[in-house]
Structures are given as C-alpha cells and as structure tokens.
Amino acid sequence: LNNKKEYIKTIGYFLFITLMFAPRFLNASFVSGQCSKDGYSIITINGINTNKVDSEKNMDKLIKTFGSFYNEQLIDYQYLFNATHLAGLKDIADVFIQDFFHTQSDYDLVEMLKDGSNKITTQKVLLVGHSQGNFYANNFYKNVVEQTGGIPKESIRVYSVGTPSNTVAGNPVPLPFEYTTSDTDKVIFSFAALPLTSSVLKPNVHIILKDGDDILGHNFANVYLKYQADKIVYDIQTSLSKLKNNDIQAE
C-alpha cells in the first residue's frame, strides 16, 4: 500500500512539473533559422521601467492566460526588451518624441528588429505592446511590413494594451478588439492630458481597482490580465484568426 501511494505521488509530481514547464519546452521545439508555416509567434514588448525579469514574467502570465495553442497550432511566445535608460527619464522623453514627431526608428527599435529576426520562428506574428511598448510595436510593424526580407501585412498584426498611442499599426481606425485601455489607467489619462501630446485611443474598458492593486491602474499582468483576461483572450484569438501564412518567401 505504501509503495502504491509513493508511486501515485511520484506520477503526480511528474505531471505537475511537466505542466508547469510545458510551454517553455514546446517553445524550444521550433527549428532554428526557419519561419514555419505552422504555428504562431506572439511577441510582447514592455513599457517604461520594466526590467528583463518583469518582462519575462509578463510574457509568462500571458502564456498562462491564453495558453500554448490556437487553432490546433503551437504558439511560440517571445519578448522584445524595451530597455530603461537614465532611470526612465530618457524613455519618458522618447515617448513624447515618438508621439509628437511620429519617429519610426531609434537605437532600441534597431535592437528589437535584430532580436526579432532571431526570435521569430513562425510566419504568423502578433506583436503585443504594453504602454510605451505600443510605439515600438507600431514602428516594428512599419519597418518590416512589405519590406525586402520583411513580413507581408497579411502575416503580422499588432495588439495594444494600455496604449499612449493614437493608432494601432495596420489599421488607421482601430477596432475594439485591437486594443484594451482602461479609463482608470492613470498613466494613460495623465499622458493624454499633457499639452504636447496628440490624442490617444479612447478607453474601451472600465477596470475597478482594489486594495493592493497597482495604484496607477497600468500594470500589464496585475491589472490588465487580472481584470480583462476574457476580453484580451478574445481579442488575441480574433487577431490570430486574421493572420495568414507568408506565401511570398520560403520558410
């Protein structure tokens, strides 16, 4: 009887470990150097004052929320790191420059494009931007769509969370499923109120914050995914459903 209990305990422990780390094992299964016709790439881009550890945690939270498969195809999750400079002061300045002057390239974007060329392993790509990361997601899109060696517009889309931008790349008039911004997001509300900024996308959800939440109502994992998981999952499913394989280039 004791041996049977130990056996069951061992099997249970093995299954727990397998389920915990399955997404990482599965993500590593793509063939290096190829962009497969099978599967999807979901690429997250963080906002200001988010270090690599938290960027990875945000990605992991999205994996747990959305899952590792869509349409019976594997999703490869990656993140492109938006580094913080001068304790965030330079990044704040960059936000104004990106918003007001609509700049499409800087050092960080160049690094993201390089990183993306190594990390993207499928032909169908969804960029998920949060906060300032939405400017980079939009500009990443503009720098690769229909460019030589880039990605056809039918194979890449952008999804925005807590966005200070007034657009979502690929659609001049973003649809409700293309972004999620709360009217209680104080970061976006404050940014929109500043005189030197252009308009931002109208908030399309109302998140009621509770004690212990991010007081700014802006956190990706602990506010948006915590309270708007159903909408974000639906939106991402809708975005992925519109992606098509790249029929221009080989894998």
Side-chain angles (χ1 to χ4, degrees):
L1 183 61
N2 287 336
N3 288 340
K4 186 177 181 180
K5 288 181 178 179
E6 287 297 322
Y7 175 76
I8 294 173
K9 182 178 179 181
T10 300
I11 292 297
Y13 179 76
F14 174 78
L15 290 174
F16 174 76
I17 294 297
T18 301
L19 291 172
M20 283 291 291
F21 293 97
R24 293 302 180 84
F25 294 152
L26 292 170
N27 290 346
S29 67
F30 287 98
V31 178
S32 177
Q34 291 188 338
C35 284
S36 173
K37 290 181 179 295
D38 294 321
Y40 299 83
S41 291
I42 293 182
I43 313 295
T44 61
I45 307 178
N46 61 281
I48 295 173
N49 286 333
T50 306
N51 58 34
K52 283 190 175 182
V53 172
D54 288 336
S55 296
E56 191 165 350
K57 286 181 179 179
N58 284 339
M59 181 189 71
D60 286 344
K61 180 68 173 179
L62 184 58
I63 293 173
K64 293 175 182 177
T65 302
F66 189 81
S68 293
F69 291 89
Y70 173 74
N71 194 27
E72 299 183 350
Q73 296 181 52
L74 186 62
I75 300 172
D76 182 35
Y77 289 87
Q78 301 287 345
Y79 69 90
L80 301 180
F81 184 55
N82 171 23
T84 297
H85 306 284
L86 299 177
L89 295 178
K90 182 180 181 300
D91 302 272
I92 293 172
D94 286 344
V95 169
F96 285 100
I97 293 171
Q98 289 163 327
D99 175 68
F100 192 76
F101 295 103
H102 305 290
T103 57
Q104 294 187 23
S105 183
D106 62 16
Y107 172 80
D108 286 325
L109 179 61
V110 171
E111 292 302 304
M112 289 180 196
L113 290 167
K114 290 179 182 177
D115 198 24
S117 71
N118 293 321
K119 288 183 173 180
I120 292 175
T121 57
T122 71
Q123 293 187 354
K124 300 184 287 287
V125 180
L126 177 66
L127 302 172
V128 178
H130 173 241
S131 194
Q132 187 199 20
N134 286 290
F135 287 120
Y136 284 113
N138 287 341
N139 289 333
F140 188 107
Y141 179 97
K142 294 172 185 176
N143 275 269
V144 302
V145 165
E146 308 301 335
Q147 302 298 317
T148 302
I151 303 175
K153 65 179 182 297
E154 294 83 4
S155 300
I156 183 171
R157 296 183 69 89
V158 173
Y159 181 67
S160 298
V161 177
T163 178
S165 178
N166 63 357
T167 187
V168 177
N171 193 343
V173 183
L175 298 170
F177 72 84
E178 293 181 309
Y179 76 99
T180 298
T181 296
S182 173
D183 58 4
T184 57
D185 187 329
K186 297 179 179 63
V187 171
I188 301 306
F189 177 81
S190 298
F191 179 78
L194 294 173
L196 293 180
T197 57
S198 60
S199 60
V200 301
L201 291 175
K202 183 179 179 181
N204 56 0
V205 298
H206 176 70
I207 295 176
I208 300 175
L209 301 172
K210 299 178 181 178
D211 291 343
D213 289 334
D214 168 29
I215 60 172
L216 297 177
H218 187 62
N219 188 277
F220 179 78
N222 298 323
V223 171
Y224 279 101
L225 285 181
K226 179 178 179 180
Y227 293 110
Q228 290 294 318
D230 289 345
K231 179 183 186 304
I232 291 172
V233 166
Y234 171 82
D235 292 350
I236 291 179
Q237 287 175 337
T238 304
S239 295
L240 293 180
S241 72
K242 297 180 180 300
L243 293 173
K244 299 178 180 179
N245 280 325
N246 178 350
D247 58 2
I248 297 173
Q249 298 156 328
E251 288 188 327

